[in-house]
Amino acid sequence: MTVDTDVRPLVSMRGITIAFPGVLALDGVDFFLRPGEVHSLMGENGAGKSTLIKALTGVYAIDAGTIEVADEERDFASTADAQAAGISTVYQEVNLCANLSVGENVMLGHEPRGFAGISWNAVHREAARHLASLGLDLDTRSPLASHSIAIQQLVAISRAMVLDAKVLILDEPTSSLDRGEVEQLFAVIRSLRDRGVAILFVSHFLEQVYEISDRITVLRNGALIGEYLVEDLPREALVTAMIGRELDELSALSGAAERAIDRTGTPVLSAEGVGRKGVLEPADLDVFEGEVVGIAGLLGSGRTEMVRLLYGADKADAGQISVGGERAKMHAPRHAIDRGIAFSSENRRAEGVVAELSVAENMILGVQAQRGWMRRLSKAEQDAIVAEYMEALGVRPADPTVPIGTLSGGNQQKVLLARWLAMQPRLLILDEPTRGIDVGAKADIQRKVAQLAAEGLSVVFISSELEEVLRITQRLAVLRDRRKIGELDPTEVDLDGLVDYIANAGHTERSATR
């Protein structure tokens, strides 16, 4: 593949090799980042993207290879060394101080000083100037915590530019943003690109990669597959390069939405008028055996709030829940688990994985808690559970003794799925199970959910990707402004129709039930 090399790279990484015990994370990888471009780094979870970024930012020392920035060879011993060379990173989880003001966050560590110490008026004046350079008009004295995640991302970028960054690394910056917020972020990215900043962009959203990128580098299993201009790399070719085989996500799930569901019997779960003041207006929801019910809506529509009430993670102050036809009090997750309901949170780091424990220990946590800590699982029982789900879900690396914190996001999600499946639930609630994971792992999880539902497991499925909920579900409950506005049959509505339905609060001619 021919790549335009007229512009001299600002960053040149040649032959980068990094090995961990038993794992060759990077094997002689070359990577070049040019000024005034958005360069996406693509690959499956575990391909080496994070390792390459950590080598560039001084988190990891390299075992072999060279790193040059502005034609000067560098040996980064720390993140401070990388920042001194003009390299700044904004991570998926914004690393700011929410208890401080916007202005304090922008200027943190670089506050203007006078004879009496920090000049706070100057801090806010300089912060406003830096924000304005990105087209942002914010009250610098307002608490950062009062702003949306999207605004916090932009504040983090502004803070990076205070350091006069020549290289800006954006690691999954859009994973928690809605479409309007993504557009605002992209406007800032394009502005920085036009000013000559070199931007390394990492995202699992292919549409966004093609919208914002000038160039793409693909890694697979720690090796370089290629560097491409965006216009020279069709999406199908990108997916093939990433996973090493052709993949049609849709074919694996063809017919999923059309699968017939018997709704004449008693629902596995029935919620009548369930709500909580200020959180969710009272709503009804039935889930039948073997049915995948999608919860569709924009960020902030009340999707997560609804399932947390169903699970007992939050206590409803209105309505009634029945499980298998029997009324059930859901005042705590323990009550849901006792009735065969499992819940996988969207926040897998804070409410899912225990990073310090091994893959095997994370996998058996649910079964052990279900049995009780006084009745310990035998070693044979543990080994059987772990072996079954390691193979069934294709967890990589296939070593259950490694800390789960060392696994990629997609493989962590597979371990969490295994934890709940090992408990043999009647109903599985999945909140954003494919967020932030690569296309291969995403397809694996989608296929597994479809398979389990076909075998009789009931599933409630939330995803910010509307195409995904349309593809995998047999029924859609649609929310807007923390209120259920109706239900849709995925076989009778396309993506545009679903977006239109959400935008118009259900007032369309399309068939829907309240």
Side-chain angles (χ1 to χ4, degrees):
M1 187 69 64
T2 302
V3 177
D4 178 14
T5 56
D6 289 345
V7 179
R8 189 169 184 81
L10 178 60
V11 173
S12 298
M13 305 178 74
R14 294 183 174 89
I16 304 299
T17 299
I18 295 179
F20 302 115
V23 179
L24 186 60
L26 292 175
D27 186 8
V29 170
D30 295 340
F31 179 74
F32 303 97
L33 185 59
R34 296 164 177 82
E37 76 168 1
V38 179
H39 193 144
S40 284
L41 186 59
M42 302 293 291
E44 290 192 276
N45 290 105
K49 304 187 301 295
S50 295
T51 305
L52 187 68
I53 288 173
K54 288 176 179 178
L56 179 58
T57 54
V59 176
Y60 290 158
I62 61 176
D63 297 319
T66 60
I67 300 175
E68 293 182 3
V69 179
D71 295 325
E72 181 181 347
E73 187 168 335
R74 301 279 188 161
D75 182 13
F76 296 142
S78 67
T79 55
D81 289 346
Q83 288 181 354
I87 299 171
S88 290
T89 307
V90 176
Y91 293 100
Q92 177 179 353
E93 280 131 12
V94 180
N95 187 22
L96 296 175
C97 300
N99 59 316
L100 299 182
S101 69
V102 168
E104 288 170 314
N105 272 281
V106 171
M107 301 304 298
L108 190 63
H110 298 83
E111 298 90 347
R113 294 176 179 270
F115 292 112
I118 294 175
S119 171
W120 292 110
N121 286 333
V123 164
H124 291 287
R125 187 167 56 250
E126 283 297 294
R129 183 176 66 82
H130 284 288
L131 289 165
S133 73
L134 299 181
L136 303 174
D137 182 13
L138 300 176
D139 178 2
T140 62
R141 297 181 185 274
S142 61
L144 182 70
S146 68
H147 294 282
S148 67
I149 292 296
I151 294 299
Q152 292 183 35
Q153 288 274 15
L154 297 174
V155 170
I157 291 173
S158 182
R159 175 179 170 180
M161 299 316 296
V162 169
L163 303 175
D164 194 27
K166 301 178 180 66
V167 175
L168 180 63
I169 300 171
L170 300 175
D171 187 3
E172 296 285 356
T174 64
S175 61
S176 300
L177 310 186
D178 63 27
R179 184 60 218 173
E181 292 168 334
V182 170
E183 290 175 355
Q184 184 179 19
L185 174 64
F186 280 6
V188 170
I189 291 174
R190 292 187 181 102
S191 171
L192 292 172
R193 179 191 60 190
D194 293 345
R195 287 161 49 181
V197 177
I199 299 169
L200 197 167
F201 184 78
V202 178
S203 175
H204 288 103
F205 295 106
L206 297 187
E207 295 81 3
Q208 295 177 7
V209 167
Y210 277 88
E211 179 179 351
I212 196 66
S213 305
D214 302 298
R215 198 181 306 266
I216 296 173
T217 286
V218 180
L219 302 181
R220 186 170 72 239
N221 296 328
L224 174 67
I225 300 303
E227 179 189 280
Y228 312 86
L229 292 171
V230 168
E231 57 266 28
D232 293 336
L233 186 65
R235 299 187 189 196
E236 297 79 5
L238 170 59
V239 172
T240 300
M242 288 169 57
I243 68 175
R245 65 185 189 278
E246 293 187 3
L247 172 69
D248 185 345
E249 287 185 85
L250 303 182
S251 66
L253 297 170
S254 64
E258 290 84 359
R259 184 167 58 83
I261 301 297
D262 181 5
R263 299 189 179 95
T264 60
T266 302
V268 171
L269 179 140
S270 179
E272 300 176 11
V274 170
R276 181 173 178 174
K277 188 174 182 180
V279 174
L280 181 75
E281 292 188 22
D284 298 343
L285 185 72
D286 290 336
V287 185
F288 290 85
E289 182 178 345
E291 182 178 31
V292 183
V293 176
I295 309 293
L298 303 179
L299 288 173
S301 62
R303 300 170 309 180
T304 295
E305 289 79 2
M306 171 181 273
V307 295
R308 287 179 63 87
L309 293 176
L310 298 179
Y311 183 65
D314 296 325
K315 186 177 178 180
D317 57 19
Q320 177 63 51
I321 296 175
S322 298
V323 179
E326 297 183 1
R327 288 198 170 188
K329 292 183 179 180
M330 296 296 189
H331 295 165
R334 177 81 259 173
H335 300 151
I337 292 171
D338 289 344
R339 290 167 175 78
I341 300 174
F343 173 53
S344 182
S345 168
E346 65 175 333
N347 190 347
R348 62 174 172 258
R349 290 191 180 182
E351 300 177 355
V353 302
V354 183
E356 297 78 12
L357 297 184
S358 70
V359 168
E361 289 167 330
N362 271 274
M363 209 174 272
I364 60 96
L365 272 178
V367 175
Q368 185 62 74
Q370 188 179 45
R371 175 179 289 194
W373 296 104
M374 299 301 293
R375 299 173 56 218
R376 304 289 294 182
L377 290 167
S378 69
K379 180 70 163 54
E381 289 174 312
Q382 294 182 35
D383 290 347
I385 291 171
V386 171
E388 176 183 355
Y389 289 103
M390 289 288 289
E391 180 178 357
L393 295 173
V395 178
R396 296 290 180 271
D399 180 359
T401 67
V402 302
I404 193 173
T406 65
L407 268 60
S408 64
N411 283 292
Q412 289 182 7
Q413 191 65 60
K414 290 180 181 181
V415 173
L416 291 181
L417 183 57
R419 177 193 296 172
W420 293 116
L421 294 178
M423 296 172 62
Q424 299 182 329
R426 304 171 66 183
L427 171 66
L428 178 60
I429 301 172
L430 297 173
D431 191 356
E432 297 284 8
T434 64
R435 173 185 286 171
I437 66 176
D438 64 79
V439 65
K442 182 179 296 186
D444 287 343
I445 290 174
Q446 291 174 354
R447 278 193 292 265
K448 192 63 179 179
V449 169
Q451 174 194 335
L452 292 167
E455 294 171 356
L457 178 66
S458 302
V459 180
V460 174
F461 192 95
I462 295 177
S463 175
S464 296
E465 297 185 58
L466 297 180
E467 300 94 331
E468 184 174 37
V469 290
L470 282 170
R471 185 162 63 245
I472 200 172
T473 63
Q474 286 82 48
R475 185 156 49 91
L476 284 176
V478 185
L479 275 64
R480 174 174 170 170
D481 299 330
R482 301 181 184 270
R483 175 174 65 89
K484 181 183 173 186
I485 60 175
E487 293 186 359
L488 296 172
D489 183 339
T491 65
E492 296 180 359
V493 64
D494 58 13
L495 178 59
D496 290 339
L498 177 55
V499 171
D500 179 63
Y501 189 81
I502 292 171
N504 290 288
H507 300 302
T508 74
E509 296 180 358
R510 300 179 187 277
S511 64
T513 59
R514 301 289 292 211

